[in-house]
Amino acid sequence: MADGRLVERLRQFLSELSPGARALLMTELERGLLRGEEMPGAEIVLQELRRSARGHTRPKRPGSLSRLFFQPLEPVLVDDTATHHHPGRIARVVLQPVWEWICRDLMPGEVTAVNDQVAAAFDDDDAARAEALAKAFQERAIVRIEEAIAAARSDEKVRRRLAGQIGTPRALDDIAAILTVLKARQTLAAFAAHLPNHIKSLDDTNIDAVKAIIESPAAGGPALFVYVLVMTMGKLGAPWQLIRLARRAAGTDSATRIAETPYAITVDIVLAEIQRLINELKAELRSGRGLGVSALLKSIHDAARGMRSEINFSHESAWARGLAALRTQVSDLLKGEIETLPGRVRRLLRPRPIKEIAPNSALDETDVRETELQIEFVNTCRAYAGELALSELTTRTWSDLEHYLDPATSALVENLRVAGDTDRPFRQSQLDAAVRFCRKVFGDDYATLLLKARDVAVSAERRAAKS
């Protein structure tokens, strides 16, 4: 249960940071990941920070008993929708409906009594007693859940009623998975203790040792195989590398041969993880190209490239079609964001006649900042364009941007030089925005020269005004 407590403490710590501190931490983590630095635990921290940046909050689970009850599930939980199927993983959002079902329909009186006992134990600062009470309750709940599942499997009417009581899209599958992990909680905890805390790279130096742990009797055998694979993935610096176990087991990169091994499920696990990352990317883009976009794009790119390099998909297969569909999803998702950039820059920087400029007005800072972020975003896309089928679009968009900015800055400098009192603030705000954009496109040296040109133009205007 130590891992679960650490995760809860991490969430509590992050929630207490100021918005500025969370944004700074997210930026530094992303920069470190993009530089290839070893940062154990960075992905889970980024995941929590992204959710906080979007203003999302996870529904609270009522009472300490529920937290202790579900704690063994922590290594296989995934933050995703309840409709997206992850082999060997349980969507965190289903825990609340399942707990409500236990409280309301399965063990209502007992939950109330034990919950009060656990709360009293915590009030007395007796965590050991609280955990003992929760474990005893888990044992009794396991029996009751098994009975409910058995009744549902033998009676269609009971099955429909149970699904309705729980209310999640995959209700029976959800409680079956929860039951499996709860029954095997001691075995899975022992397996986790044998794994390294962090595996920077799953390669020839350690893959056989990791594979031996997965195949050892301590791992619980075939019934728990998919769960121990998911737990192993949680230790990897690059989760997609889980598929290397499949390649090792098959002794070849042939997708056909890999599909014949028990480790074929690793491919499905990684494909589901890529889909989750794409869903995260969609949410980030809806929030306005949030700080998590760069890290998400890198993770998706690396996973897609890793799959194509590790497995030979030359023969048509469901895996090949699935990966192709994911790459298309990303391409379609990013195209709109990329294509609108040149037009947005032109709208802000186009030279305007004085009659279109309100006295003492300026460009909207939010608009300028969002455009600056969009330039950064497109530049990030360029780095990953090949694997995400965006090379032609990003090359064309960036070229359009370069060809527009270079002559446009000269016109902006000249307009500032001859500006009058009423239009000068607006024209200077345009040139200041151009400096920021050019710094992203052409680099610091170009931006510095443009700043000097701006200062010369302002000085010339002041001298003209004095004369």
Side-chain angles (χ1 to χ4, degrees):
M1 293 189 177
D3 287 347
R5 285 196 293 268
L6 288 174
V7 171
E8 290 296 333
R9 287 171 60 189
L10 170 64
R11 292 189 180 114
Q12 179 64 28
F13 169 75
L14 294 177
S15 70
E16 293 172 356
L17 295 178
S18 68
R22 288 196 295 268
L24 179 61
L25 176 58
M26 185 185 293
T27 301
E28 291 305 314
L29 285 174
E30 288 179 347
R31 287 173 179 169
L33 288 173
L34 291 172
R35 288 193 298 265
E37 296 178 2
E38 182 176 354
M39 305 176 72
E43 286 301 329
I44 189 171
V45 177
L46 275 172
Q47 186 168 285
E48 293 300 318
L49 289 170
R50 291 169 193 151
R51 183 176 298 103
S52 175
R54 292 195 299 271
H56 290 178
T57 57
R58 179 179 299 120
K60 292 183 179 180
R61 287 170 281 168
S64 298
L65 175 59
S66 66
R67 290 194 292 272
L68 293 175
F69 182 83
F70 288 123
Q71 212 163 53
L73 275 60
E74 193 65 43
V76 300
L77 293 180
V78 60
D79 290 300
D80 202 355
T81 64
T83 56
H84 182 196
H85 174 56
H86 290 264
R89 302 175 89 175
I90 300 165
R92 192 183 298 274
V93 294
V94 310
L95 300 187
Q96 178 77 10
V98 169
W99 183 248
E100 290 175 354
W101 167 67
I102 292 172
C103 294
R104 184 188 62 244
D105 302 308
L106 195 68
M107 307 169 69
E110 188 165 355
V111 170
T112 301
V114 178
N115 200 46
D116 290 343
Q117 293 170 0
V118 169
F122 277 117
D123 287 342
D124 295 338
D125 200 23
D126 191 348
R129 179 167 171 263
E131 290 189 6
L133 288 165
K135 287 179 181 177
F137 177 78
Q138 280 173 339
E139 292 295 340
R140 296 191 295 275
I142 286 170
V143 174
R144 298 295 301 276
I145 294 172
E146 281 184 310
E147 292 172 350
I149 291 176
R153 285 174 176 164
S154 61
D155 189 318
E156 177 63 27
K157 184 177 180 180
V158 173
R159 181 160 56 249
R160 288 197 302 269
R161 183 173 68 247
L162 179 58
Q165 288 173 337
I166 296 172
T168 61
R170 304 171 60 254
L172 296 182
D173 290 337
D174 291 336
I175 60 170
I178 289 171
L179 176 65
T180 299
V181 176
L182 287 179
K183 290 178 67 176
R185 60 192 184 279
Q186 293 179 339
T187 299
L188 293 175
F191 167 77
H194 285 86
L195 285 175
N197 287 330
H198 180 71
I199 304 172
K200 181 179 179 181
S201 178
L202 188 63
D203 53 31
D204 288 341
T205 66
N206 55 24
I207 191 169
D208 288 329
V210 171
K211 187 169 175 286
I213 295 172
I214 293 171
E215 295 173 359
S216 68
L224 300 180
F225 185 63
V226 67
Y227 298 104
V228 302
L229 289 175
V230 165
M231 293 173 67
T232 302
M233 184 174 72
K235 304 290 186 179
L236 299 180
W240 67 265
Q241 291 182 359
L242 188 73
I243 63 174
R244 289 180 174 172
L245 290 166
R247 176 171 171 164
R248 194 71 158 196
T252 176
D253 66 355
S254 167
T256 303
R257 293 282 298 278
I258 288 173
E260 297 171 352
T261 74
Y263 285 90
I265 192 66
T266 62
V267 182
D268 298 309
I269 292 171
V270 172
L271 286 172
E273 174 64 6
I274 296 175
Q275 180 67 72
R276 185 190 68 79
L277 293 172
I278 293 172
N279 292 342
E280 284 273 348
L281 180 61
K282 289 178 183 176
E284 286 293 308
L285 292 174
R286 282 196 298 268
S287 71
R289 288 174 301 281
L291 293 172
V293 165
S294 295
L296 283 167
L297 278 176
K298 182 180 187 302
S299 296
I300 295 168
H301 166 272
D302 291 353
R305 184 179 62 181
M307 291 196 72
R308 283 167 24 99
S309 63
E310 295 287 335
I311 300 178
N312 182 356
F313 291 115
S314 57
H315 297 291
E316 182 69 10
S317 68
W319 290 339
R321 292 192 298 273
L323 182 58
L326 292 174
R327 296 175 72 221
T328 300
Q329 273 191 57
V330 179
S331 178
D332 292 344
L333 184 63
L334 301 180
K335 279 179 181 177
E337 294 284 330
I338 295 170
E339 290 173 333
T340 60
L341 176 59
R344 186 168 189 170
V345 171
R346 288 187 177 91
R347 179 175 60 81
L348 290 173
L349 302 186
R350 69 176 178 84
R352 305 183 191 187
I354 192 169
K355 64 181 180 180
E356 293 184 14
I357 301 174
N360 299 313
S361 62
L363 291 177
D364 181 77
E365 171 58 26
T366 300
D367 207 1
V368 173
R369 177 56 182 158
E370 287 180 352
T371 304
E372 189 177 23
L373 287 172
Q374 191 172 1
I375 293 173
E376 293 179 356
F377 165 75
V378 172
N379 197 28
T380 300
C381 290
R382 291 173 69 214
Y384 309 124
E387 192 57 50
L388 302 179
L390 291 167
S391 295
E392 182 179 349
L393 177 60
T394 54
T395 299
R396 183 177 68 251
T397 300
W398 202 255
S399 178
D400 288 348
L401 202 57
E402 290 175 331
H403 284 95
Y404 174 76
L405 282 174
D406 196 27
T409 53
S410 299
L412 293 173
V413 170
E414 179 60 22
N415 286 341
L416 179 60
R417 189 182 66 80
V418 300
D421 290 340
T422 59
D423 63 328
R424 186 179 306 116
F426 183 84
R427 299 199 188 280
Q428 180 151 349
S429 73
Q430 279 191 305
L431 190 52
D432 289 343
V435 170
R436 292 163 64 174
F437 299 163
C438 288
R439 191 180 301 279
K440 302 296 181 184
V441 176
F442 299 119
D444 290 338
D445 291 344
Y446 189 103
T448 300
L449 289 174
L450 188 54
L451 281 172
K452 291 179 180 178
R454 181 202 65 183
D455 294 341
V456 169
V458 171
S459 298
E461 174 274 324
R462 288 173 180 168
R463 288 194 300 272
K466 289 180 180 179
S467 63

